[in-house]
Amino acid sequence: MNEQLKADEAKYVMQTYKRAGVEFVRGEGALLFDDEGSEYLDFLGGISVASVGHCHPEVVEAIRVQTGELQHVSNLFYTGPMVQLAKRLSESSLGGKVFFCNSGTEANEAAIKIARKAARARGVENPEIISFEGDFHGRSYGSLSATPGLATNPDFAPMLPGFRSVPFDDAEALRAAVNERTAAVLIEPMQGEAGIFPVSDETLVAARQACDEVGALLIFDEVQTGIGRTGSLWAYEQGPVRPDVMTTAKALGGGMAIGACIGNPETGEVLTAGDHGSTFAAGPVASSAALTVLDLVDDPVMLRRVRSLGDALAEGLKRIEGVTEVRGRGLMLGVGLADGIVAADVNSTLLERGLVANAPRPDSLRLLPPFVLTDDQAERAISVIEETLAGYHPVESK
Ligand SMILES: *Cc1c(COP(=O)(O)O)cnc(C)c1O
């Protein structure tokens, strides 16, 4: 790759990321191209963002048209795309009002504010928000405090008070932790950053019941699972319970930065004038892109395709030697690797062989491909993973 670019990045960009040694310059559908013209199959989708594929022509056109008409006026005025998008999100999910922002982190901040304000309204003095160990909710102080794996970093102490965690998917521990102080249970219905771990139906039901008993809110962070990723527009639709508040971002804007916190008819009324805001939120360009993404994804044919592609991928992956399990649903898959295989090494080799994926933990790969993947591309990915793992010799179990 371009050595000057690498050197300038090291010199001028705060070193918060360990970047892979590739410069991408173009994307089309499920393909990416680097500065030397090499082609890659993108099984990461910009971390679950490029769900309708890179540079989808309808998304590009919506952005092009809107950006030539009006780009930004702030939320002090009415704009059509923002209101249409709120209607669309509300009617497709919890039926309440929507708060817009620019990222998943901020969507969770809004949810945390709603939870605390609702708890105070019922007389709770020290509201507490409960999450699962391994959950990822973002990196601002509120969402970070709700992210147990990162909230312990002493460099950034103190975290916000009023957050606690229980072991992942532990229904009993969750039930025991919920009490009169509980403002909300804030969880990912399927953990993404942790390496793709679905919460069991039993635990979801326990969470719903525990919240109902004390008047706490059940909040689902669907920032990664939402917008069709698991084969339904929202992951909760395939589970046994509905949340009271839900957050979305990542794929919502088709690559434009936009996030939303969606309430039900009650929780959507909690925040009022002056409680929260954002300069850029749901600007006309990002909202027009999001409306187009919803046109494409909120379609039974597309969602069925996500499920069938996901099933085919999971089946193909399970047959590979060195793969111990495939977790997840739809096109949100965690691939467990046998003892002694280091996922990060595998991931580097995959990249060299033209497959973009991700290793969120030492023993797993994460796959989040665009929904426009063809059958051939899915088979190609399985072959590349198979050929790569053939170079490893799993430790024999004793
Ligand atoms: C990515 C992610 C976030 C944070 O979203 P940003 O847009 O990076 O702020 C929050 N929750 C979940 C589940 C995520 O996957």
Side-chain angles (χ1 to χ4, degrees):
M1 75 167 277
N2 180 338
E3 290 306 319
Q4 189 61 49
L5 185 74
K6 214 169 176 173
D8 284 349
E9 192 272 352
K11 185 170 178 191
Y12 296 112
V13 180
M14 286 194 199
Q15 295 293 294
T16 61
Y17 280 99
K18 266 197 207 150
R19 291 173 213 275
V22 183
E23 182 198 355
F24 288 118
V25 295
R26 193 164 71 78
E28 189 183 335
L31 299 177
L32 284 170
F33 300 88
D34 70 14
D35 60 326
E36 290 159 10
S38 297
E39 182 186 296
Y40 298 76
L41 198 45
D42 186 7
F43 264 56
L44 185 56
I47 320 182
S48 199
V49 167
S51 292
V52 298
H54 292 283
C55 302
H56 190 289
E58 288 175 43
V59 176
V60 170
E61 188 56 17
I63 293 170
R64 203 195 304 278
V65 167
Q66 185 58 56
T67 206
E69 270 173 18
L70 180 68
Q71 292 173 351
H72 177 83
V73 288
S74 86
N75 279 297
L76 302 180
F77 306 94
Y78 289 87
T79 48
M82 183 269 284
V83 178
Q84 285 169 40
L85 182 60
K87 180 170 186 229
R88 193 83 195 258
L89 288 172
S90 172
E91 288 181 349
S92 73
S93 63
L94 307 180
K97 293 186 174 125
V98 178
F99 174 83
F100 285 112
C101 51
N102 316 285
S103 67
T105 296
E106 290 169 86
N108 288 325
E109 289 299 320
I112 290 166
K113 275 194 172 178
I114 290 170
R116 284 187 166 183
K117 191 177 177 190
R120 289 195 178 272
R122 62 182 166 85
V124 177
E125 292 281 326
N126 287 301
E128 194 167 68
I129 294 175
I130 303 170
S131 298
F132 281 133
E133 288 169 12
D135 265 10
F136 181 82
H137 298 299
R139 291 178 178 273
S140 60
Y141 268 102
S143 58
L144 184 62
S145 299
T147 298
L150 300 175
T152 47
N153 184 343
D155 289 348
F156 304 114
M159 291 293 135
L160 297 192
F163 291 85
R164 69 186 284 192
S165 60
V166 296
F168 176 67
D169 200 20
D170 187 333
E172 278 321 302
L174 185 61
R175 255 198 208 98
V178 173
N179 58 40
E180 298 301 322
R181 268 186 71 188
T182 308
V185 170
L186 164 59
I187 54 175
E188 298 175 74
M190 175 147 70
Q191 290 186 338
E193 296 306 298
I196 316 298
F197 293 96
V199 179
S200 67
D201 283 358
E202 180 206 345
T203 302
L204 292 175
V205 169
R208 180 70 275 173
Q209 285 171 347
C211 285
D212 289 344
E213 277 163 24
V214 298
L217 302 181
L218 180 60
I219 304 173
F220 279 2
D221 176 345
E222 291 229 25
V223 169
Q224 193 159 149
T225 55
I227 318 293
R229 178 53 58 189
T230 68
S232 46
L233 187 60
W234 310 109
Y236 82 81
E237 295 174 67
Q238 294 179 65
V241 303
R242 265 165 91 91
D244 302 303
V245 175
M246 188 176 73
T247 56
T248 174
K250 285 200 162 91
L252 175 60
M256 304 298 286
I258 184 167
C261 175
I262 308 169
N264 68 18
E266 289 97 60
T267 59
E269 304 299 323
V270 173
L271 295 182
T272 52
D275 279 347
H276 207 22
S278 164
T279 300
F280 284 117
V285 181
S287 297
S288 297
L291 283 165
T292 309
V293 166
L294 286 172
D295 282 344
L296 294 164
V297 171
D298 192 8
D299 166 11
V301 177
M302 176 72 99
L303 294 171
R304 208 176 307 126
R305 174 77 182 149
V306 171
R307 295 194 296 272
S308 64
L309 258 174
D311 290 347
L313 270 172
E315 280 312 306
L317 291 163
K318 276 180 198 157
R319 281 199 288 270
I320 297 176
E321 192 172 349
V323 170
T324 53
E325 63 170 354
V326 179
R327 304 179 294 267
R329 253 198 321 270
L331 289 174
M332 184 166 176
L333 299 175
V335 184
L337 303 176
D339 265 5
I341 303 182
V342 180
D345 291 350
V346 174
N347 193 52
S348 303
T349 309
L350 292 176
L351 186 65
E352 283 164 17
R353 294 179 178 192
L355 183 71
V356 180
N358 166 249
R361 48 186 283 133
D363 66 357
S364 298
L365 295 170
R366 174 171 56 162
L367 306 178
L368 300 161
F371 307 166
V372 294
L373 201 68
T374 64
D375 291 338
D376 281 355
Q377 289 170 331
E379 277 162 30
R380 200 166 106 207
I382 291 170
S383 300
V384 174
I385 293 171
E386 185 164 21
E387 285 156 23
T388 301
L389 287 178
Y392 291 81
H393 304 284
V395 175
E396 297 292 333
S397 54
K398 295 176 195 94

